[in-house]
Amino acid sequence: MRIRRVGAGALLLECDDGAQVEAWRAELWRQRDAGRLAVTEIVPAARTVLLDGLADPAATAALIAGWPPPPAATGPTGPLVEIPTRYDGPDLAAVAGHWGIPPADAVLRLIDTEFQVAFAGFAPGFAYLRGLPEGCEVPRLPTPRAAVPAGSVALAGPYAGIYPTASPGGWQLVGHTDATLFDVHREPPALLVPGTRVRLVAR
């Protein structure tokens, strides 16, 4: 892990992979909750963790550099959210073909997978869910759709995701949910925050 200064009040932790990101994200949240780390925002991404709102970035960098590397998690440990999903997406057959299995088996694979929110982005409430078995990466569509319905359950690369609102998008659509992914009147507004375990249960 490498620590870089970003702007006047932030640090960027550069990690080797998603597992290291999750280990540091969980450790930083623990340290903040324990009162040993004063930071406004801890924002994980694919290979980085951003710490924003630091009064003294240099001192915080030295503090973090003195900690032992957090152990990699042996499995997801966050709270579990079940997302009722109708597996009726227009790209389900294409995904199953990419995996070399019938569509019904592709649905079972998704139902049996326990995902975890790696990070959020793209749109408020959009969570990148990791956990697809190795070798099950799915290519994006060659041409993105001009409009993807809100609640669409989709796959791209090594991630699954759910579109919180209607928007353009190039992910492969395998299903749909009526769950509300983002609500400004809820605390927190996003249903799926980093570290959360997710199951896409059939409805």
Side-chain angles (χ1 to χ4, degrees):
M1 189 272 293
R2 296 155 297 283
I3 304 174
R4 297 187 183 277
R5 182 79 175 264
V6 180
L11 294 172
L12 191 69
L13 278 58
E14 297 180 338
C15 301
D16 294 331
D17 52 33
Q20 192 177 52
V21 167
E22 173 56 21
W24 274 106
R25 191 240 10 121
E27 178 66 17
L28 293 164
W29 280 21
R30 282 193 294 269
Q31 296 288 353
R32 180 174 62 180
D33 291 345
R36 292 188 288 268
L37 178 66
V39 58
T40 303
E41 297 286 346
I42 300 172
V43 185
R47 291 183 179 269
T48 61
V49 183
L50 176 71
L51 284 74
D52 198 10
L54 300 171
D56 190 339
T60 302
L63 174 69
I64 294 172
W67 294 344
T74 55
T77 58
L80 175 64
V81 173
E82 293 187 343
I83 303 294
T85 303
R86 296 189 300 274
Y87 285 96
D88 56 1
D91 301 318
L92 178 60
V95 168
H98 183 75
W99 288 344
I101 57 178
D105 289 348
V107 171
L108 290 176
R109 177 174 291 176
L110 293 168
I111 292 172
D112 289 343
T113 298
E114 183 170 285
F115 294 94
Q116 185 178 37
V117 179
F119 56 95
F122 172 64
F126 189 96
Y128 289 75
L129 309 177
R130 66 178 182 180
L132 283 173
E134 187 174 352
C136 288
E137 293 84 358
V138 174
R140 291 174 180 262
L141 296 175
T143 302
R145 289 182 171 91
V148 174
S152 294
V153 177
L155 306 176
Y159 299 110
I162 306 170
Y163 286 78
T165 56
S167 68
W171 289 35
Q172 304 225 31
L173 308 184
V174 296
H176 186 272
T177 181
D178 294 327
T180 300
L181 278 297
F182 189 81
D183 182 351
V184 294
H185 302 294
R186 185 171 58 198
E187 183 55 41
L191 177 64
L192 304 178
V193 298
T196 303
R197 297 151 54 215
V198 179
R199 282 199 174 273
L200 303 174
V201 298
R203 58 163 296 179

